[in-house]
Amino acid sequence: MITRELQEKREHEILSRYGMKADQSAGRAIEETKCQIRTDFQRDRDRIIHSKAFRRLMHKTQVFLAPEGDHYRTRLTHTIEVSQIARTIARGLGVNEDLTEAIAMGHDLGHTPFGHSGEAILNRIHPGGFKHNVQSLRVVDVLEQGRNRRGMNLTFEVRDGILNHTGQTMPVTVEGQIVRTSDRIAYINHDIDDALRSGIISMSDLPAECIAVLGSSHKKRIDTLVKDMIANSWDKEYASLTEEKSQAMNELRSFMFRNVYMNNDVKKVEDLNKVELIIESLYDYFCNNPDQLPEEYCMMMDEFGAAELVKDYVAGMTDRFAITTYEKIFQ
């Protein structure tokens, strides 16, 4: 039998000196009995995948609000694509794939319904603002209830990677740095793919200089960026793209913001107004009627207060649950 101890021993034999070894983790906030078979990072990945918050990602918008078609990305398919890209890079660099996958699977658990539009609205109306990476950490630390414990009690390295997959602070592990870049590789390229499918943009619209550097197809661009990151990060303490590839990717991102993310054909004014009405109305209703929150939220009222728990509840909703809850209350 391949035990946890044997896997931990193999990590020291196989992984790069910069790869995080499971038996060298800074550990969990609450100490637990070790699993006989799985390393701590494998257990973290499994806890995330089996969580309710992870399942809800399948019904949360990525970019397109209420898309007409079966092939547009959701938060769940985005998460899977990030995980695939990140694992490939992690394997190429000889670092910990289990830690990488756990971070990737958990990085977007805190996203609101209706994509970044929902996040922007909650950020505006909630005291203290709203950031999905901070909320993702709150999901795994507090909101997902484990057996006889609050939260998932994840390892420090997974929690750090989730919190710092975006923002000003870099993850402390190479694995977390890989997920941070893989997230951007995934969403820029799959959003281009979705925008092309929808007819919002055409191939001729894409910046020629970026395409010349990265490739003319979805497959080629991801292949270019993955190989570039592996080659540029080999046997180094930090994982990053070369300046040339990073600049080309960032220029593509800027193009997408100008032509897709802020495009009125993607997010029609009437749709945005509806999203704003739904989220603001739900937030106000539950702030004024906190006793109508689910029981598990009411039990934490004395500790966190109504506004924080209402924010948690609304942020955790799927697109369709937010709509049906709004209709049930107000119509």
Side-chain angles (χ1 to χ4, degrees), residues 244-309:
E244 179 192 34
K245 301 301 190 294
S246 180
Q247 183 176 341
M249 186 174 71
N250 288 335
E251 288 176 3
L252 267 185
R253 181 174 180 266
S254 296
F255 166 85
M256 291 296 288
F257 267 96
R258 292 192 306 270
N259 296 278
V260 177
Y261 302 144
M262 303 300 178
N263 189 314
N264 288 336
D265 290 330
V266 176
K267 297 179 178 178
K268 299 180 176 63
V269 173
E270 58 266 31
D271 289 338
L272 291 175
N273 289 341
K274 182 178 180 181
V275 168
E276 184 173 25
L277 175 64
I278 290 172
I279 291 183
E280 285 192 359
S281 298
L282 290 174
Y283 185 89
D284 290 341
Y285 174 81
F286 285 109
C287 280
N288 292 323
N289 302 275
D291 58 309
Q292 296 301 306
L293 289 169
E295 181 181 1
E296 61 266 29
Y297 289 85
C298 292
M299 292 173 63
M300 297 186 285
M301 194 68 66
D302 290 342
E303 183 176 1
F304 296 112
E308 185 73 5
L309 293 168

Side-chain angles (χ1 to χ4, degrees), residues 96-109:
N96 200 307
E97 291 182 53
D98 296 322
L99 172 57
T100 304
E101 185 177 25
I103 296 169
M105 290 298 184
H107 82 283
D108 268 358
L109 293 180

